[in-house]
Amino acid sequence: MKVTVATLSDNVFTLDVSEDLEIENFKAFCEVESGIPSAEIGLLFNGIPMTDLKKTLKDYGVKDGDMVMMDRLRRQQRPAPAPGAGTGGFNFDFSQIQIPSNLRGASAAAGPSQARPQQQPQVRNEDDPAWIREMLSANPDQLAQLKQNNPRLAEAYASGSLEEFAKVLKDQQNARRERDALRIRMMNADPFDLEAQRMIAQEIEQKNIDQNMELAMEASPESFGSVIMLYINCVVNGHKIKAFVDSGAQATIMSQKAAERCNIMRLVDRRWAGVAKGVGTQKIIGRVHMAQIQIEKDYLTSSFSILEDQPMDMLLGLDMLKKHQCTLDLKRNVLVIGTTGTETPFLSEADLPPCARLSTQVNEDDVLKNSAKEVAAEEDRQLAEAIARSASDSSMDTSESQGSGKGNTPAPAGATGGNSSSSSVPLGDNIKESDVTNMMAMGFPRDVCIQELRKNNGDVNLAIASIFAKSLSDSFAKK
């Protein structure tokens, strides 16, 4: 028959034994599975301790499919021997070891009442926020891990305020204590409760994950290290650039700062402006339709999408890699240009730009700026919407007068917006002339603005987003 053995530490295993098996031998099977000595194993079935080692499982009423609870018994501490008695066995008394005087301080020779304060070293508490901040400042590797795994506490550390750091640390410590206390209460309560069973299942799953991670660390420890990205040296318009080779990117891009350094901003076609969406969103200023990239001795033509706020200078996308039949030879660590056969090596970590190096080598300001960009992506959009609303409210009269001046005939005094005759597309009841004028100031045609406002029920922000999305899709379709 099969008997399931469960421990209080959520270790569960099944034994295929006979019902006539004695408890002593059953403990031996449990010792093999759990690693706990049989002398320290305590068994419990239906609330009855199985203490008689000569009885069988059948005598205790254990049947096929039943569960037996197992726990490790704690040995009782032996009483201390009398002062005059022999120590006997392995009862060593370490309390009589004398501490050297140079470790006890100058006051060690004094009486016990005076020497006691000097004998206690000043040990820093591991939960002390000041001690933790000092430890992080002295260990950049742990600080980099903190920024990746606990950004909230990392931001509190970067603020430089000990009070804020202590507050965030205390909140997280209290939350962890509450979770541990809740888990202990649930375990000590009814183990067959649904919530307790769910927590037990979560702990078993977490232990399996930890075991899998331990196996991975032993079998392939390199998978837990950071991998540097692939960069090459190139020249654009006589200026040296470290380009990021990314076969997962659709198009080749360049930052606005790099384009200004290379003096190619004069070639930017702003009709290709839009929004680039990926892990985040970035504004596309325009496109350089053709420029030369010098890689080693080869001059290759490529197009660039200029991004307004991009940390890396240039990214070689799939369009350029496929056009020149490039091969990423990771065995030799080189980029092979198939059309010419030229090879250029990938840069080592020491030659990478600061934004591409491993997190332990990037200074704190750069890390904070990069994290702030991720957090502020949504805030920038909301700020732009708020500015657009305030501008429309403050310049309502001016925009209406400008809109009426664009028409062939002046608007009637009672007309809303005063520009109903300037376009063949009529305004709807929920469309304001001021919204149309503000959208036209951004470079959109009037009929397109009115159509998008009508589709989005007069919402200016949704209409602008819809126009940007269409322009972006059209630009990628042309590519």
Side-chain angles (χ1 to χ4, degrees):
M1 65 179 181
K2 293 184 178 181
V3 179
T4 302
V5 181
T7 65
L8 297 180
S9 60
D10 301 335
N11 187 16
V12 181
F13 55 88
T14 303
L15 298 176
D16 193 356
V17 296
S18 173
E19 62 180 4
D20 297 330
L21 184 68
E22 295 181 351
I23 302 301
E24 183 178 8
N25 298 328
F26 185 75
K27 284 187 176 183
F29 282 107
C30 296
E31 178 182 359
V32 174
E33 294 291 336
S34 63
I36 301 175
S38 59
E40 300 180 10
I41 293 179
L43 300 177
L44 189 70
F45 178 69
N46 289 339
I48 301 176
M50 306 170 71
T51 56
D52 194 346
L53 302 181
K54 297 302 179 181
K55 284 188 177 182
T56 62
L57 296 175
K58 183 179 180 180
D59 296 336
Y60 281 101
V62 179
K63 300 178 182 179
D64 185 20
D66 288 345
M67 176 180 289
V68 177
M69 299 298 297
M70 185 185 76
D71 191 16
R72 185 167 188 170
L73 302 178
R74 301 293 185 269
R75 292 183 177 179
Q76 297 181 355
Q77 297 181 355
R78 297 180 181 178
T87 56
F90 300 95
N91 294 327
F92 296 103
D93 187 9
F94 296 98
S95 62
Q96 301 300 325
I97 298 177
Q98 299 294 328
I99 302 176
S101 58
N102 59 344
L103 298 180
R104 291 184 297 171
S107 62
S113 60
Q114 299 178 0
R116 184 174 300 172
Q118 299 294 333
Q119 293 178 357
Q120 297 179 356
Q122 295 181 357
V123 180
R124 302 294 297 268
N125 187 6
E126 293 183 357
D127 295 334
D128 185 11
W131 182 82
I132 294 177
R133 290 184 79 253
E134 293 177 1
M135 181 190 66
L136 291 175
S137 61
N139 195 333
D141 292 334
Q142 293 187 0
L143 179 59
Q145 293 181 0
L146 180 69
K147 292 174 181 177
Q148 294 178 359
N149 302 328
N150 194 344
R152 182 186 174 194
L153 189 60
E155 291 178 0
Y157 170 83
S159 65
S161 174
L162 180 60
E163 296 180 357
E164 183 178 356
F165 182 82
K167 180 178 181 299
V168 175
L169 180 64
K170 184 177 179 181
D171 293 342
Q172 294 183 354
Q173 290 176 347
N174 292 336
R176 184 179 58 185
R177 293 192 190 99
E178 291 178 0
R179 290 194 300 267
D180 294 341
L182 176 62
R183 181 180 60 84
I184 294 174
R185 287 197 301 268
M186 296 297 295
M187 295 299 180
N188 293 335
D190 185 7
F192 296 100
D193 183 69
L194 294 179
E195 187 66 19
Q197 289 291 325
R198 184 185 64 81
M199 296 183 65
I200 292 174
Q202 289 181 353
E203 291 202 1
I204 293 175
E205 181 181 359
Q206 185 61 42
K207 287 190 175 182
N208 292 334
I209 295 174
D210 295 340
Q211 183 180 7
N212 181 263
M213 185 181 69
E214 292 177 1
L215 293 176
M217 293 181 67
E218 182 178 357
S220 57
E222 67 278 0
S223 63
F224 293 89
S226 299
V227 180
I228 62 174
M229 306 305 287
L230 303 178
Y231 277 78
I232 62 172
N233 283 322
C234 62
V235 178
V236 178
N237 199 19
H239 295 267
K240 295 182 179 180
I241 294 291
K242 296 180 179 180
F244 173 41
V245 181
D246 187 4
S247 60
Q250 184 179 12
T252 300
I253 65 174
M254 178 181 285
S255 66
Q256 182 180 4
K257 295 180 180 179
E260 292 174 352
R261 292 202 310 267
C262 298
N263 298 324
I264 60 174
M265 284 297 294
R266 55 188 174 82
L267 301 176
V268 175
D269 187 354
R270 299 184 181 272
R271 293 175 298 179
W272 294 72
V275 178
K277 295 183 179 180
V279 178
T281 58
Q282 290 186 358
K283 181 181 179 181
I284 300 176
I285 299 177
R287 179 183 180 185
V288 176
H289 297 292
M290 187 175 67
Q292 280 190 340
I293 304 175
Q294 180 183 355
I295 300 177
E296 298 298 335
K297 297 182 180 180
D298 293 341
Y299 290 87
L300 310 176
T301 59
S302 178
S303 61
F304 301 101
S305 294
I306 308 300
L307 270 63
E308 183 180 30
D309 191 9
Q310 174 67 21
M312 63 185 67
D313 289 339
M314 189 171 68
L315 183 147
L316 299 181
L318 192 60
D319 58 343
M320 190 267 184
L321 298 177
K322 291 186 68 175
K323 178 180 180 181
H324 300 285
Q325 302 175 8
C326 298
T327 302
L328 279 68
D329 192 343
L330 299 181
K331 183 177 182 180
R332 296 186 297 150
N333 198 36
V334 295
L335 175 67
V336 182
I337 301 174
T339 55
T340 61
T342 303
E343 298 180 359
T344 181
F346 293 118
L347 301 182
S348 61
E349 183 181 351
D351 299 328
L352 297 181
C355 65
R357 295 175 186 172
L358 298 182
S359 57
T360 55
Q361 297 186 1
V362 182
N363 58 39
E364 185 174 343
D365 294 336
D366 293 339
V367 173
L368 292 178
K369 288 179 181 178
N370 293 335
S371 61
K373 290 175 184 177
E374 298 176 358
V375 176
E378 182 66 18
E379 295 180 356
D380 292 341
R381 184 184 66 83
Q382 296 178 357
L383 180 60
E385 295 175 358
I387 293 174
R389 292 194 189 97
S390 61
S392 62
D393 294 338
S394 60
S395 61
M396 179 71 70
D397 297 335
T398 305
S399 62
E400 289 180 357
S401 61
Q402 292 177 354
S404 61
K406 294 180 181 180
N408 296 327
T409 58
T416 303
N419 196 20
S420 60
S421 61
S422 62
S423 176
S424 60
V425 182
L427 294 176
D429 296 335
N430 54 354
I431 300 176
K432 298 180 180 180
E433 182 62 30
S434 59
D435 296 337
V436 178
T437 306
N438 292 331
M439 292 178 64
M440 291 175 61
M442 299 175 67
F444 303 134
R446 177 181 174 81
D447 54 345
V448 176
C449 298
I450 296 176
Q451 291 176 5
E452 293 299 331
L453 285 171
R454 186 180 294 111
K455 290 180 181 179
N456 295 279
N457 198 20
D459 193 326
V460 181
N461 299 323
L462 293 178
I464 295 175
S466 178
I467 296 176
F468 271 123
K470 289 182 179 180
S471 63
L472 183 61
S473 61
D474 294 338
S475 63
F476 282 113
K478 293 179 181 178
K479 294 180 182 180

